[in-house]
Amino acid sequence: MKLQFTAAALAAALVLPLSAQAQTEIQWWHAMSGPLGDWVGDLAKDFNASQKEYKVVPTYKGTYGETLTAGMAAFRAGNAPDILQVYEVGTATMMAAKGAIKPVGEVMTMGGAKFDSKAYIPAVAGYYTAPNGQMLSLPFNSSTTVFYYNKDAFKAAGIDPNKAPATWPEVILDAAKLKAAGHKCPFTTSWMSWTQLESFSTWHNVLFATLNNGFGGPAARLVFNSPLHVRHFDDLSNMAKQGLFVYKGRDNAADVSFPSGECAMMTGSSGLYSRVSKEAKFAYGISALPYYPDVAGAPQNTIIGGASLWVMAGKKAETYKGVAAFFKYLSRPDVQSASHKRTGYLPITTAAYELTDKSGFYKEHPGTDVAVTQMIRKTTDKSRGIRLGNFNQIRTIIDEETEQIWTGKKTPKEALDAAVTRGNEQLERFQKANKS
């Protein structure tokens, strides 16, 4: 009996590791840290608990830029992850990396998962879709640009706190009233290129670059020095000279200035909401981006920020089935809605938006639907998004040149002309490097 028990115990012990080994692991490299890293970890954990065939293993690889670099280096070395998170400005780079990726639509088909790209918010899905209509990557953490304003500051300055400025002329007038009331920073912005040139262009249905903002191919060239763009930066320049606009620095350096109460109005990412809701000690509002009312077609739609999930090529069929199952899980309305509420990122499908709306979340948190309503409008070839090579370098050039405006070293036209010239050099290099 003792011998039989030992043999049975040994057999049982061997079954467990064999069963565990039968599970297919899906390696996911990402750039989410802190609370967002916890969110990513929870998504993988919940998916893993929902079934027994696959195990998603998320790994933090640093910033967006570092993650993209690590992923492409791993691909060249033959050990790429199965899923790679890439920020939106890296989209053209991924498309140009021949043989590196497998389109998400193809992966979903291989996995036997029903896939309808029309279920995704048009402005989001469109950005990651090839000219032939094939969706290349799965939208994941998508954000867009919105307008924040301090209702208490408005009230103190004699401005209706329940009426956000809808146009740029109204922004200027409100900024002047705020300054007269003692505010040292009536208006600021984060992400200069993204908010004041990229989203500004699509919001007004004008081109940022030729060939439909790069969607038509790598021969695209920058055109954001048009009369409308120069006019806008003339206005910002005059605001800066009068103390109505205060430049706080590159990227998201300005983010802290709104929830702290230092600046009364701000354009920035919808993803800033989670911070504003936690830190602001005043009543605030979130509204759509301002526009110029005399521009035909405005307002149109804003464009996305954030990142998407790319499936790397050269994997086994079983791996792709696991990726398809995971992506199907991520796209579920309940999962998307919960992520939207938790992070402030957009719900990437219309169904998730509708579910969030029915839950009463938008009524309980006014303004949180603005980012979505700006994005679910019908897009045009001019407003679909901006997809350019060496885009990160171009954004740096834009920061460098527009900073010359705030210091008085260049006029808005000189700065934008220089940014276009220097940026086009980057596009020419990208085009030459990717002729094939």
Side-chain angles (χ1 to χ4, degrees), residues 270-275 277-278 284 286 333-334 336-347 352-372:
S270 58
L272 181 61
Y273 167 73
S274 58
R275 182 173 183 177
S277 64
K278 292 178 181 178
Y284 59 86
I286 305 172
D334 58 325
Q336 273 297 308
S337 179
S339 291
H340 170 47
K341 295 175 182 178
R342 176 172 175 174
T343 67
Y345 285 120
L346 294 165
Y353 165 64
E354 293 173 348
L355 181 62
T356 306
D357 187 25
K358 290 179 181 178
S359 74
F361 180 78
Y362 297 131
K363 290 183 179 179
E364 295 171 10
H365 305 84
T368 52
D369 62 333
V370 169
V372 187

Side-chain angles (χ1 to χ4, degrees), residues 209-211 217-222 388-391 393-394 397 417-436:
T210 61
L211 294 180
R221 295 297 182 262
L222 303 171
L388 302 170
N390 291 341
F391 204 171
Q393 294 91 321
I394 291 171
I397 288 170
D417 283 346
V420 165
T421 298
R422 293 177 60 196
N424 281 337
E425 291 173 357
Q426 290 292 329
L427 290 177
E428 289 169 12
R429 291 175 189 171
F430 183 83
Q431 184 181 11
K432 289 179 182 178
N434 296 280
K435 280 186 177 180
S436 59

Side-chain angles (χ1 to χ4, degrees), residues 103-419:
V104 65
E106 185 179 329
V107 172
M108 298 300 275
T109 299
M110 288 179 65
K114 184 179 179 181
F115 182 72
D116 180 10
S117 61
K118 294 180 181 179
Y120 298 86
I121 293 175
V124 175
Y127 189 85
Y128 300 114
T129 300
N132 64 2
Q134 187 178 45
M135 201 162 166
L136 301 173
S137 62
L138 184 79
F140 180 54
N141 57 309
S142 297
S143 58
T144 194
T145 48
V146 295
F147 187 87
Y148 295 92
Y149 69 104
N150 185 325
K151 289 188 174 183
D152 289 351
F154 268 44
K155 187 175 182 180
I159 309 170
D160 184 351
N162 296 312
K163 185 177 181 299
T167 68
W168 280 108
E170 290 174 359
V171 171
I172 297 172
L173 290 173
D174 286 348
K177 293 178 182 178
L178 287 161
K179 183 187 177 185
H183 275 276
K184 294 183 179 180
C185 179
F187 171 72
T188 192
T189 188
S190 62
W191 303 106
M192 182 62 68
S193 176
W194 186 39
T195 62
Q196 304 307 318
L197 282 173
E198 297 165 38
S199 279
F200 176 86
S201 297
T202 61
W203 196 228
H204 289 83
N205 202 33
V206 297
L207 289 174
F208 178 89
T210 61
L211 294 180
N212 293 330
N213 293 322
F215 277 78
R221 295 297 182 262
L222 303 171
V223 290
F224 56 74
N225 56 345
S226 75
L228 176 61
H229 293 100
V230 172
R231 168 190 175 185
H232 180 51
F233 274 78
D234 273 333
D235 283 346
L236 291 176
S237 177
N238 289 329
M239 289 179 70
K241 292 174 182 176
Q242 299 173 54
L244 306 182
F245 163 58
V246 179
Y247 177 65
K248 290 292 184 177
R250 301 182 185 184
D251 300 333
N252 65 342
D255 282 1
V256 67
S257 63
F258 181 76
S260 69
E262 178 187 357
C263 296
M265 298 184 291
M266 175 184 173
T267 47
S269 171
S270 58
L272 181 61
Y273 167 73
S274 58
R275 182 173 183 177
V276 173
S277 64
K278 292 178 181 178
E279 299 178 10
K281 305 300 181 184
F282 51 84
Y284 59 86
I286 305 172
S287 78
L289 288 184
Y291 65 98
Y292 287 95
D294 60 330
V295 176
Q300 179 57 43
N301 63 274
T302 55
I303 54 176
I304 61 171
S308 65
L309 302 182
W310 293 77
V311 186
M312 305 306 285
K315 306 299 180 180
K316 295 180 179 179
E318 190 61 28
T319 296
Y320 289 131
K321 289 181 180 179
V323 171
F326 182 48
F327 283 3
K328 181 179 180 181
Y329 173 81
L330 290 180
S331 300
R332 276 173 32 184
D334 58 325
V335 174
Q336 273 297 308
S337 179
S339 291
H340 170 47
K341 295 175 182 178
R342 176 172 175 174
T343 67
Y345 285 120
L346 294 165
I348 62 173
T349 64
T350 303
Y353 165 64
E354 293 173 348
L355 181 62
T356 306
D357 187 25
K358 290 179 181 178
S359 74
F361 180 78
Y362 297 131
K363 290 183 179 179
E364 295 171 10
H365 305 84
T368 52
D369 62 333
V370 169
V372 187
T373 56
Q374 283 185 159
M375 294 287 286
I376 61 176
R377 297 164 183 258
K378 183 179 179 181
T379 60
T380 70
D381 286 337
K382 295 178 181 178
S383 71
R384 181 179 173 189
I386 299 168
R387 193 161 68 195
L388 302 170
N390 291 341
F391 204 171
N392 198 43
Q393 294 91 321
I394 291 171
R395 279 186 171 179
T396 298
I397 288 170
I398 288 172
D399 284 336
E400 291 172 351
E401 293 297 338
T402 55
E403 283 172 351
Q404 302 297 305
I405 300 174
W406 324 131
T407 58
K409 295 179 180 179
K410 287 187 178 181
T411 65
K413 188 175 189 312
E414 290 172 340
L416 293 183
D417 283 346

Side-chain angles (χ1 to χ4, degrees), residues 7-17:
L10 179 61
L14 288 173
V15 169
L16 290 175

